[in-house]
């Protein structure tokens, strides 16, 4: 169980900090990792938790949280140290993001889009093949992006969904980049683009296509389009069930010129990453790992009569409540174990077993977070689902996880079933 780590602080009128979701000693994390993860947890609990209800109610982007993330160095969490970032690896980022998700789902999910711009172009790209010249050019270009983030607190987003089969990885992206002198002209549309209207750069996945050429996934480009560039517009409203603070509206690109240095990855490297570094698509899950923990934390506090803002009524003595808590704890530990293993072993060229485990981890977290939240509402009862308390928001936010492409819960099931039964290239003919 997670319990407050500092009861004296509560007595002194200060906030008692929660214990980490993954205890550093038990999960064998080093001091540097534990420090970064604590930084995220403390900011989440002491600041973001208090703001989350308003962002959710108004479907408003958490701008203030981003200023705090910048001040805490967390906008550059995965930027290599030589570029002024914290140099966090994949696992450290995932554990820190889970702690943010525990207190504000929308902040964690949008922070993920931002961080992936640096994680994919940073530690992940370092494990991919590039010749010397390409590597040098990538190093020069990413330095431009990283400097903006570290020094100016600039925010990146990651719109790839288009409403067709591209986001699931089936076909080439319909958003096209036509090569011109000094860069590209981009045309297209992205739906559910979190941070729309709030990011400074949209990290757009698109297909490079010359006149008369056929679109191919191999020619995917990953370009940072300035939000203020001519031809970029944000349209449509945003009034969803959950994750309301993500402000995931529609982006339109009409003849947007973007210069060569906008490339977050060199030509061909995104396609290589998608083939060889599949855990890059597991990065939406940490937010929901945090939400699963949050639903459990809420239930313990509520049944113990310790939920701030509610009368100190204890409900923990009923055997049915105890059984429900036991079921939640078992589910949570199952999710944590699978997910921790998957984020720890993320690497280039994973084995088949590791890839299947990554799908299983994604499925377990995305479905499990909502199952725990559902059980929490049933167990805590009617007063616990009022909008004055965070549980109903946790429940709605957690419902969104299994919808997220490319690894929706359905697609994970499809892939696990198929890839477990067939070796690559195998057919029944
Ligand atoms: C809160 C929130 C924030 C988001 N933020 C972003 C963002 O920042 N950037 C971004 O790019 N996207 C984002 N998304 C978009 C998300 O990944 C989906 O693209 C979006 O939910 C729309 O998907 P859909 O279910 O309508 O897609 P559809 O393509 O209509 O798919 C419907 C369902 O069919 C199944 N399906 C789809 N394709 C296949 C297939 N080939 N084979 C079998 N089954 C299939 C899937 O299970 C899917 O859930 C966000 C979504 C949410 C909910």
């Amino acid at each position: 169980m997670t319990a407050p780590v500092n009861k004296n602080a509560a007595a002194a009128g200060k906030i008692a900090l929660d214990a980490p979701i993954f205890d550093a000693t038990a999960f064998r994390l080093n001091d540097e990792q534990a420090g970064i993860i604590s930084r995220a947890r403390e900011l989440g609990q002491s600041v973001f938790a208090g703001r989350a209800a308003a962002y959710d109610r108004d479907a408003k982007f958490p701008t203030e949280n981003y200023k705090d993330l910048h001040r805490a160095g967390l906008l550059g969490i995965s930027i290599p140290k030589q570029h002024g970032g914290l140099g966090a690896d994949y696992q450290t980022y995932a554990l820190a993001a889970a702690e943010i998700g525990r207190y504000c789902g929308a902040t964690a999910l949008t922070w993920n889009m931002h961080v992936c711009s640096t994680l994919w172009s940073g530690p992940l790209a370092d494990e991919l093949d590039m010749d010397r010249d390409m590597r040098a050019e990538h190093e020069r270009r990413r330095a431009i992006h990283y400097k903006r983030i570290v020094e100016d607190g600039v925010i990146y987003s990651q719109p790839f969904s288009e409403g067709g089969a591209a986001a699931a990885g089936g076909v080439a992206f319909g958003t096209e980049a036509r090569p011109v002198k000094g860069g590209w002209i981009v045309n297209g549309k992205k739906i559910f683009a979190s941070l729309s209207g709030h990011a400074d750069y949209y990290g757009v996945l698109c297909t490079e296509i010359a006149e008369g050429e056929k679109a191919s996934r191999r020619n995917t480009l990953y370009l940072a389009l300035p939000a203020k560039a001519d031809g970029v517009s944000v349209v449509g409203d945003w009034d969803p069930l959950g994750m309301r603070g993500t402000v995931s509206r529609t982006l339109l690109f009409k003849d947007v010129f973007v210069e060569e240095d906008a490339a977050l990855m060199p030509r061909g490297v995104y396609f290589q990453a998608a083939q060889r570094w599949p855990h890059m698509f597991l990065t939406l899950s940490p937010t929901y790992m945090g939400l699963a923990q949050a639903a459990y934390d809420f239930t313990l506090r509520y049944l113990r009569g310790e939920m701030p803002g509610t009368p100190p009524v204890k409900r923990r003595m009923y055997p049915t409540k105890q059984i429900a808590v036991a079921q939640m704890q078992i589910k949570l530990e199952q999710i944590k174990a699978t997910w921790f293993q998957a984020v720890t072993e993320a690497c280039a060229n994973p084995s088949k077993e590791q890839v299947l485990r990554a799908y299983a981890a994604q499925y377990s977290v995305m479905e499990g977070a909502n199952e725990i939240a559902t059980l929490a509402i049933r167990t805590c009862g009617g007063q616990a689902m009022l909008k004055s308390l965070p549980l109903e928001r946790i429940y709605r936010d957690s419902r969104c996880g299994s919808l997220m492409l490319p690894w929706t819960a359905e697609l994970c099931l499809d892939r696990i079933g198929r890839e477990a039964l067939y070796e690559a290239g195998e057919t029944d003919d």
Side-chain angles (χ1 to χ4, degrees):
M1 104 171 218
T2 50
V5 285
N6 186 351
K7 288 203 165 156
N8 295 339
K14 285 192 207 146
I15 185 167
L17 289 175
D18 288 334
I21 304 174
F22 294 92
D23 177 76
T25 308
F27 287 88
R28 298 177 178 81
L29 304 173
N30 65 36
D31 290 348
E32 191 178 357
Q33 291 183 292
I36 294 173
I37 297 161
S38 296
R39 206 186 292 191
R41 190 179 75 257
E42 288 175 27
L43 192 56
Q45 188 182 356
S46 58
V47 184
F48 297 173
R51 294 177 181 156
Y55 296 137
D56 173 66
R57 186 188 56 232
D58 302 335
K60 184 177 166 298
F61 185 74
T63 302
E64 298 79 3
N65 290 355
Y66 273 78
K67 295 210 166 86
D68 291 328
L69 286 166
H70 180 223
R71 268 194 290 274
L74 290 167
L75 285 187
I77 184 170
S78 290
I79 292 178
K81 284 184 184 163
Q82 72 268 26
H83 290 284
L86 299 184
D89 61 10
Y90 185 102
Q91 184 207 43
T92 310
Y93 161 65
L95 299 176
E99 293 292 357
I100 300 277
R102 193 175 175 186
Y103 304 104
C104 181
T107 299
L109 196 60
T110 51
W111 187 48
N112 173 71
M113 314 307 180
H114 167 84
V115 173
C116 279
S117 316
T118 64
L119 187 70
W120 292 6
S121 60
L124 199 147
D126 289 345
E127 289 190 20
L128 297 172
D129 296 338
M130 294 184 214
D131 66 25
R132 225 180 47 185
D133 289 351
M134 190 186 263
R135 180 82 62 196
E137 186 172 65
H138 179 55
E139 190 62 25
R140 184 185 64 75
R141 283 184 178 156
R142 69 181 181 176
I144 299 171
H145 299 286
Y146 295 167
K147 187 166 186 286
R148 289 176 187 147
I149 294 171
V150 171
E151 292 184 4
D152 306 327
V154 154
I155 305 171
Y156 281 57
S157 73
Q158 202 178 47
F160 65 81
S161 297
E162 297 180 337
V171 298
F173 286 103
T175 301
E176 293 184 353
R178 192 162 41 83
V180 291
K181 193 169 179 306
W184 295 271
I185 297 284
V186 177
N187 278 287
K189 171 181 163 181
K190 296 288 179 181
I191 65 163
F192 276 77
S194 292
L195 303 98
S196 49
H198 298 279
D200 301 288
Y201 289 86
Y202 299 124
V204 174
L205 275 314
C206 53
T207 307
E208 184 173 42
I209 189 159
E211 201 66 48
E213 230 179 40
K214 225 174 135 229
S216 161
R217 284 166 57 216
R218 287 184 182 279
N219 298 332
T220 302
L221 288 178
Y222 184 20
L223 304 177
L225 268 63
K228 293 204 171 95
D230 286 344
V232 176
S233 56
V234 181
V235 299
D237 61 359
W238 177 248
D239 189 12
L241 170 81
M243 290 294 180
R244 294 170 56 79
T246 62
V247 190
S248 307
R249 296 169 66 197
T250 297
L251 284 176
L252 299 180
F253 309 116
K254 174 94 181 78
D255 294 329
V256 181
F257 172 74
V258 53
E259 59 183 25
E260 282 171 346
D261 283 348
L264 284 161
M265 282 177 161
R267 278 191 173 90
V269 174
Y270 174 82
F271 182 73
Q272 193 193 143
Q275 310 295 308
R276 297 183 49 211
W277 233 104
H279 291 75
M280 69 190 284
F281 300 122
L282 183 62
T283 56
L284 294 162
S285 64
T287 298
Y288 297 89
M289 178 69 253
L291 287 166
Q293 180 72 50
Y296 179 73
D297 291 344
F298 180 98
T299 306
L300 290 199
R301 286 209 174 100
Y302 191 83
L303 297 182
R304 287 167 59 88
E306 293 171 352
M307 178 55 61
T310 61
V313 178
K314 292 189 188 348
R315 297 170 174 88
R316 64 183 175 186
M317 61 294 280
Y318 306 119
T320 40
K321 307 278 181 221
Q322 293 170 9
I323 288 172
V325 167
Q327 288 171 324
M328 290 168 73
Q329 200 273 349
I330 291 166
K331 182 91 203 163
L332 186 64
E333 287 299 336
Q334 287 170 341
I335 295 172
K336 281 173 64 176
T338 314
W339 184 79
F340 186 85
Q341 179 62 25
V343 301
T344 302
E345 66 191 2
C347 62
N349 308 321
S351 67
K352 172 175 167 173
E353 184 194 343
Q354 288 173 320
V355 175
L356 292 183
R357 188 158 40 242
Y359 297 145
Q362 170 94 352
Y363 181 90
S364 304
V365 172
M366 298 310 207
E367 290 289 87
N370 191 249
E371 283 167 26
I372 294 178
T374 303
L375 203 47
I377 289 184
R378 194 192 72 192
T379 306
C380 294
Q383 292 177 69
M385 56 117 220
L386 297 174
K387 281 198 180 283
S388 53
L389 296 175
L391 184 56
E392 64 86 36
R393 185 183 72 250
I394 293 166
Y395 173 77
R396 287 184 288 104
D397 284 352
S398 65
R399 187 57 278 165
C400 299
S402 55
L403 313 179
M404 306 215 55
L405 289 166
W407 287 8
T408 64
E410 290 178 348
L411 282 164
C412 286
L413 289 175
D414 276 359
R415 287 175 187 210
I416 293 169
R418 193 174 55 243
E419 292 172 31
L421 289 166
Y422 292 81
E423 295 305 324
E426 225 182 359
T427 66
D428 294 315
D429 300 335

